[in-house]
Amino acid sequence: MTTRSTLKVAVIGAGMMGSDHIARITRRISGAEVAVIVDPDPQRAAAAAELAPDAATAATFEEALTRRDLDAVLIASPGQFHEAVLLPALERKLAILCEKPLTPDVATALKITEAEQKLERPHIQVGFMRRFDAGYVQLKSMIETRKLGDLLLIHARHRNASSHLVNTEAMLIQDALVHELDVLPWLAGDRIASIDIKKPRPSRLAPEGLRDPQVAILEFTSGTMAIVEIFINARFGYQVKTEAVFEEGTAEIGETDGLRIRHEGQTSRFEPPTFKERFAAAYDTQIQKWVDASKDGRIDGPSAWDGYLAVAAAEAGVEAQRSGRPVEVVYEATPSFYDLEQPAPPRVPV
Ligand code: ISE
């Protein structure tokens, strides 16, 4: 826990997301400052440092850790590099915001949760920002209050204009679908019991070797199902929509609500180009809550255990993608250390 009024944050990774968070912390978040930007590419680090003129730069986290004034670390490098930062950050008992996925596989995700359990309380919050989006929060409350009866089915669409760093079949699940693997169980208050992946006719505009789009069929412990279209070269813009089907009606979030223009006999509407614009408010809320909670020695959002649950479902998803068959998702029992975790509802025979 820090007693300072300003949380001093090291940001790891000065790519698209890291730079976005650096600008956010510097301009929109109160109570925190970027103390150091870590990136192995000096040019990228220097470009990001223009967004936070008081920040230093470092080539490695090790170098950044020679500073004794750090309170927190925001990890925005790709998932395969997270473990190397998470372990020393836990040792230094820093507050941690780790972008998704926690790690690429179950073995390393569990290793991280084991290391965290040596501390007195959770230090890691995972960057599943959709949990802070106003639409998702409203939909969750609709599901919980059972206003329209029981939740039966979810139709979700996750479309990116183009896959920048996601260029393998496995990454489609581990890097993109992983959001649904976290947010849909959170919405439904349920656990994913099995996952199947179907591959429709592929777009010729997707990179070589990547069948895009794909469809994930998730079956929850309660019997509720979700059908998720994941299409990361959809070209027209960035779109994430979720429709919940209840016994007495439906509820939908994520419809484009940008500027509507009527001109020369046509109507057009602004579509967000990327997740940065679509989820800007959710990212702001997520980071502000994390900063505030970190000062109190808490996390305020998805824990490392939630990160592990999503990685476990993703690993099953990759297996389903390879085998062409539904795969059961098997989870370790939740340690009492992560007591924010909701118990899974009983399975309803279908
Ligand atoms: C990216 O890393 C994200 O987190 C986005 O939310 C997701 O839509 C995209 O597919 C990922 O590559």
Side-chain angles (χ1 to χ4, degrees), residues 256 258-263 265-271:
T256 301
L259 188 68
R260 189 198 295 270
I261 298 171
R262 294 190 176 87
H263 180 59
Q266 302 273 331
T267 305
S268 66
R269 210 152 193 189
F270 173 80
E271 291 279 358

Side-chain angles (χ1 to χ4, degrees), residues 100 129-130 158 160 164 166 175-176 179 232 238 275 283:
K100 42 55 59 178
M129 76 301 183
R130 292 191 190 179
H158 180 166
N160 289 216
H164 47 293
V166 179
D175 192 75
H179 279 292
I232 59 172
Y238 187 81
F275 41 90
Y283 284 120

Side-chain angles (χ1 to χ4, degrees), residues 113-303:
T113 62
E114 277 154 24
E116 188 178 39
Q117 287 174 73
K118 298 203 175 99
L119 307 184
E120 70 290 358
R121 59 164 182 88
H123 280 57
I124 302 173
Q125 184 170 324
V126 179
F128 285 124
M129 76 301 183
R130 292 191 190 179
R131 293 192 188 200
F132 300 90
D133 173 74
Y136 276 106
V137 171
Q138 273 178 311
L139 187 55
K140 180 170 174 59
S141 140
M142 185 121 213
I143 293 168
E144 278 171 0
T145 56
R146 300 186 62 258
K147 209 169 163 191
L148 302 181
D150 280 345
L151 173 69
L152 309 175
L153 181 62
I154 296 174
H155 298 278
R157 274 153 278 184
H158 180 166
R159 297 175 179 145
N160 289 216
S162 68
S163 51
H164 47 293
L165 295 172
V166 179
N167 47 22
T168 67
E169 296 257 311
M171 278 185 82
L172 187 103
I173 308 243
Q174 294 161 334
D175 192 75
L177 183 73
V178 72
H179 279 292
E180 278 79 14
L181 300 180
D182 172 71
V183 85
L184 297 182
W186 173 80
L187 264 185
D190 215 332
R191 275 271 174 97
I192 300 171
S194 74
I195 176 165
D196 194 9
I197 304 287
K198 299 283 176 206
K199 301 180 186 178
R201 178 177 177 173
S203 164
R204 283 168 301 159
L205 304 175
E208 182 77 22
L210 174 66
R211 285 196 58 156
D212 190 29
Q214 299 194 12
V215 176
I217 302 165
L218 311 178
E219 195 176 338
F220 290 87
T221 315
S222 65
T224 297
M225 284 178 78
I227 299 164
V228 187
E229 172 201 314
I230 177 98
F231 188 14
I232 59 172
N233 291 278
R235 311 303 267 209
F236 69 89
Y238 187 81
Q239 190 180 54
V240 170
K241 299 210 279 188
T242 309
E243 183 187 18
V245 180
F246 300 89
E247 291 168 301
E248 295 183 61
T250 67
E252 188 172 341
I253 57 167
E255 194 48 71
T256 301
D257 61 358
L259 188 68
R260 189 198 295 270
I261 298 171
R262 294 190 176 87
H263 180 59
E264 294 184 342
Q266 302 273 331
T267 305
S268 66
R269 210 152 193 189
F270 173 80
E271 291 279 358
T274 75
F275 41 90
K276 282 198 313 185
E277 298 78 15
R278 164 69 174 84
F279 286 111
Y283 284 120
D284 286 354
T285 308
Q286 167 187 251
I287 300 297
Q288 187 64 66
K289 279 182 179 263
W290 170 65
V291 166
D292 295 345
S294 296
K295 290 185 187 176
D296 286 351
R298 294 181 292 114
I299 59 168
D300 190 1
S303 68

Side-chain angles (χ1 to χ4, degrees), residues 14 55 57 78 96 109 111 135 163 183 212 225 236 273 293 315 322 332:
T57 59
I96 303 167
K111 187 169 162 196
S163 51
V183 85
D212 190 29
M225 284 178 78
F236 69 89
E315 202 163 276
R322 273 199 212 109
E332 297 289 324

Side-chain angles (χ1 to χ4, degrees), residues 14-63:
M16 180 179 178
M17 209 58 240
S19 303
D20 197 46
H21 284 317
I22 291 165
R24 165 171 296 106
I25 292 173
T26 308
R27 298 181 195 148
R28 296 203 289 284
I29 298 299
S30 63
E33 69 183 34
V34 179
V36 53
I37 297 166
V38 180
D39 198 290
D41 177 341
Q43 277 177 346
R44 213 164 40 189
E50 285 180 17
L51 302 165
D54 295 333
T57 59
T60 63
F61 186 43
E62 214 176 12
E63 187 186 329

